[in-house]
Amino acid sequence: MKTQAYLFMGISTFFGMVAALYIYWSYQDHGAIEWTGTTALVIGVGFGWMMGFWLLMAARRSEHFHGLPAEERLDGEIAENAGEFGFFSPHSWWPLFVAAAVVFTAIGVAIGWWMVFLGFLAIILTAIGWVFEYYRKEFEH
């Protein structure tokens, strides 16, 4: 995971330099900073560093308890990573409903605040449905 962390941090650093150039050039051309692109680039840099830092801390924690993973060792084999990676629902409709609730909320910002409040309620209800879908009927564990 350290490799992935360094990739996230490196690409984010590159985008940070691009953001600095973008700010400089937009100020030179228009006499004011162009806020939309600047904000998007700065948020992208922040998210990239956040992911990289989390991956780096997770790798250090994993190394402390389990040693180096196979993908970080020179003598690591592909077969060492074989096995169960978790359970992934192949037929769930809940992600679609959660996404629809998020879209409804986002459109509500442009149309009216009443729609935003209904959207937040829909997001909460659909997220609860998604989390608890395997606690009912034939899917119960």
Side-chain angles (χ1 to χ4, degrees), residues 4 8 12-13 28 36 39 55 65 76 84 86-87 92 94 107 119 124 133 135 137-138 140:
Q4 293 94 334
F8 266 104
S12 295
T13 302
Q28 290 297 320
T36 306
T39 304
L55 285 169
F65 292 112
E84 184 86 20
F87 174 75
S92 178
W94 283 107
I107 291 172
I124 290 169
E133 76 177 311
Y135 287 88
K137 298 183 184 170
E138 73 268 12
E140 187 174 357

Side-chain angles (χ1 to χ4, degrees), residues 42-118:
V42 169
I43 288 174
V45 169
F47 283 156
W49 268 92
M50 181 177 62
M51 278 300 302
F53 182 75
W54 184 86
L55 285 169
L56 191 60
M57 293 298 110
R60 286 183 182 170
R61 189 173 39 251
S62 177
E63 283 177 21
H64 178 71
F65 292 112
H66 305 292
L68 279 175
E71 63 266 15
E72 298 288 337
R73 294 192 327 259
L74 294 176
D75 63 338
E77 295 291 328
I78 293 173
E80 290 181 71
N81 282 335
E84 184 86 20
F85 282 108
F87 174 75
F88 303 98
S89 179
H91 61 275
S92 178
W93 284 88
W94 283 107
L96 178 68
F97 298 142
V98 173
V102 169
V103 167
F104 185 83
T105 306
I107 291 172
V109 172
I111 294 177
W113 289 105
W114 62 271
M115 203 168 164
V116 173
F117 295 126
L118 287 177

Side-chain angles (χ1 to χ4, degrees), residues 2-54:
K2 279 187 177 179
T3 305
Q4 293 94 334
Y6 293 141
L7 281 172
F8 266 104
M9 290 177 173
I11 291 170
S12 295
T13 302
F14 170 75
F15 277 116
M17 292 184 285
V18 168
L21 282 173
Y22 187 83
I23 291 168
Y24 175 74
W25 283 335
S26 70
Y27 188 77
Q28 290 297 320
D29 288 344
H30 304 291
I33 296 174
E34 197 278 313
W35 287 105
T36 306
T38 301
T39 304
L41 284 168
V42 169
I43 288 174
V45 169
F47 283 156
W49 268 92
M50 181 177 62
M51 278 300 302
F53 182 75
W54 184 86

